[in-house]
Amino acid sequence: MASHRKWSPTGTRIAGIRTPALATAALTSVALLSQTANAAPSADSKPSIEEVEKKVDDLYHQAEAATEKYNATREKTAQQRKRVDSLLDDVAQRTEKLNTAREELGSFAAAQYRTGASAPDTATLLLADNPQDYFDQTQLMDRLTSRQKVAVDDYITEQAATTKKRAEASQSLQTLTTTQSALKTSKADVQHKLAEARDLLSKLTAEEKARLAAIEKKKQEAADRKAAELAQQQAAAEKKAQEAAAQQQSTSATTGTTGSSATDSSYTAKADKALAFARAQIGKPYVWGATGPGSYDCSGLTQAAWKAAGVDLPRTTWDQVNAGTTVPLSDIKPGDLVFFYDDISHVGLYIGNGMMIHAPKPGAYVREESIFYGGESIIHSVVRPA
């Protein structure tokens, strides 16, 4: 912050010459303006490439989180729509039954009118808001024939059931309207984040884009080194495991006991199918909200891959993270799901050697990449889904 001096009305000296007070004030103002101009960035100043890179990454991360929210809301909307359709079908069927019961009562009323019999006022019954109250007030039930009683009972039952179902359908329609509005909001949020990221990137010069690519390459090289380290650690652990398994086999042959090799073999077989499916999707574009077959978002890809192995995963990362057994990173196996960020907004399918197949972000394609692509700190958890 620029320093400020108290102005002296008696003037000051510059190079041994006393200056008038007004001249001194003018000189001071010029100095302050100069210092302010040097200290404050101009309105036209551009962020550094590092700042752009971080901002774009943050926006893509936010867009993925918004995408998972969109996925969850869309799934809820679909379920609510099915419920509304089911309720409306039920209301239609019950209304038909109610009309049939009303017609039967009407036939009794017509017959009574033709014969002139002193009979229950079924015509008034049909117009009553609450038939049961009507019966209670007139003691009509005591004067009905057995056939009429059956018809009246049917009418009362169907009217009550239809009224209840109509109320349920009305409430479900209101809920559907609410979820559809939330779906629209989630979609707009994703689009806004992506538009902001594209706008930042569009303003870069060719030189700046080259520098940004160099930053990304450096990050990728670091991630690949970290993946290689994990692969070495796992190879050493696998060697020990094989030695232990051989020892256990020898012990089992002596004692007649069996280990968990059958379980491991079953998981490996399923994982192989999931990985084969995921590999076949490499090169297809990331599209938020997509579940295939032409494009995927991150959780859409993992869901489809494991479905090919006969395992049904939930739609969103937030639910997939709970659809299996959590294992430490050191015990990760091919087929495991790797979740990222504190908000669990991204997921990939581990393929071994520190690598995964995932749908990275908008503008990118399904690809193999190190699970350390954003650093080890963003890895949230590892889950074995079957």
Side-chain angles (χ1 to χ4, degrees):
M1 182 177 178
S3 60
H4 295 271
R5 290 173 136 188
K6 185 177 181 180
W7 173 62
S8 172
T10 58
T12 185
R13 289 182 178 274
I14 298 179
I17 302 174
R18 180 177 293 276
T19 60
L22 185 58
T24 303
L27 289 170
T28 302
S29 298
V30 169
L32 287 173
L33 287 172
S34 176
Q35 291 177 22
T36 302
N38 292 333
S42 68
D44 297 330
S45 64
K46 293 177 64 176
S48 67
I49 293 301
E50 290 75 15
E51 290 172 334
V52 170
E53 190 262 349
K54 184 179 185 306
K55 179 65 174 176
V56 169
D57 280 353
D58 286 345
L59 285 169
Y60 280 141
H61 174 201
Q62 292 171 32
E64 275 205 297
T67 294
E68 291 305 311
K69 183 176 180 180
Y70 169 84
N71 291 339
T73 305
R74 186 171 65 174
E75 189 173 38
K76 182 179 179 181
T77 300
Q79 292 171 349
Q80 189 62 30
R81 186 177 288 111
K82 286 181 181 179
R83 173 168 173 75
V84 167
D85 289 344
S86 176
L87 284 169
L88 290 177
D89 287 343
D90 195 3
V91 167
Q93 292 172 7
R94 290 185 179 281
T95 299
E96 187 175 350
K97 288 183 179 180
L98 182 63
N99 290 337
T100 300
R102 184 181 286 113
E103 288 173 2
E104 189 169 2
L105 286 175
S107 66
F108 288 142
Q112 291 161 2
Y113 178 78
R114 286 194 301 270
T115 60
S118 176
D121 190 358
T122 51
T124 305
L125 163 64
L126 294 174
L127 298 176
D129 292 333
N130 190 326
Q132 189 61 58
D133 288 347
Y134 179 78
F135 290 137
D136 293 342
Q137 293 169 7
T138 62
Q139 298 179 341
L140 187 58
M141 292 299 289
D142 294 337
R143 300 159 56 197
L144 293 176
T145 66
S146 58
R147 186 180 173 191
Q148 287 175 324
K149 285 181 180 180
V150 171
V152 168
D153 285 340
D154 288 345
Y155 179 75
I156 293 175
T157 300
E158 289 305 326
Q159 188 187 56
T162 302
T163 300
K164 181 180 179 181
K165 287 298 178 181
R166 281 175 179 165
E168 289 181 19
S170 177
Q171 181 61 47
S172 291
L173 280 170
Q174 292 179 12
T175 303
L176 178 60
T177 300
T178 301
T179 56
Q180 287 176 326
S181 177
L183 183 64
K184 185 177 179 180
T185 300
S186 298
K187 182 176 182 179
D189 192 19
V190 177
Q191 292 173 329
H192 174 73
K193 300 299 183 187
L194 295 181
E196 192 174 349
R198 286 193 296 267
D199 182 60
L200 278 173
L201 292 173
S202 69
K203 294 177 180 178
L204 297 180
T205 65
E207 181 184 354
E208 289 170 333
K209 288 178 181 178
R211 288 171 57 195
L212 183 60
I215 292 174
E216 292 293 336
K217 183 179 179 182
K218 188 175 181 180
K219 286 172 59 178
Q220 183 177 347
E221 289 172 348
D224 289 344
R225 286 194 299 271
K226 191 70 178 175
E229 290 175 10
L230 178 61
Q232 290 176 351
Q233 293 170 4
Q234 287 191 311
E238 180 65 21
K239 184 178 179 181
K240 288 184 178 179
Q242 289 175 351
E243 292 173 352
Q247 179 63 38
Q248 184 180 20
Q249 231 176 6
S250 175
T251 303
S252 298
T254 304
T255 62
T257 59
T258 58
S260 60
S261 58
T263 301
D264 293 342
S265 177
S266 173
Y267 178 76
T268 300
K270 291 178 181 178
D272 286 345
K273 291 180 181 179
L275 292 174
F277 179 92
R279 287 192 176 94
Q281 312 315 307
I282 290 176
K284 293 183 179 181
Y286 175 105
V287 174
W288 62 273
T291 56
S295 57
Y296 299 88
D297 62 19
C298 66
S299 55
L301 176 63
T302 52
Q303 182 188 47
W306 270 103
K307 185 175 183 179
V311 177
D312 290 327
L313 293 180
R315 176 63 182 93
T316 69
T317 54
W318 303 324
D319 292 327
Q320 287 182 11
V321 75
N322 296 316
T325 304
T326 301
V327 297
L329 182 60
S330 58
D331 290 340
I332 191 170
K333 292 182 178 180
D336 289 351
L337 303 177
V338 189
F339 295 90
F340 298 88
Y341 304 107
D342 290 340
D343 59 2
I344 320 175
S345 58
H346 188 66
V347 62
L349 188 68
Y350 188 67
I351 61 175
N353 296 323
M355 304 293 288
M356 66 179 172
I357 296 174
H358 69 149
K361 60 185 178 182
Y365 298 84
V366 176
R367 66 192 183 203
E368 292 186 10
E369 192 166 25
S370 168
I371 63 172
F372 302 102
Y373 75 101
E376 187 172 0
S377 62
I378 71 166
I379 296 178
H380 177 273
S381 57
V382 177
V383 171
R384 191 158 298 154

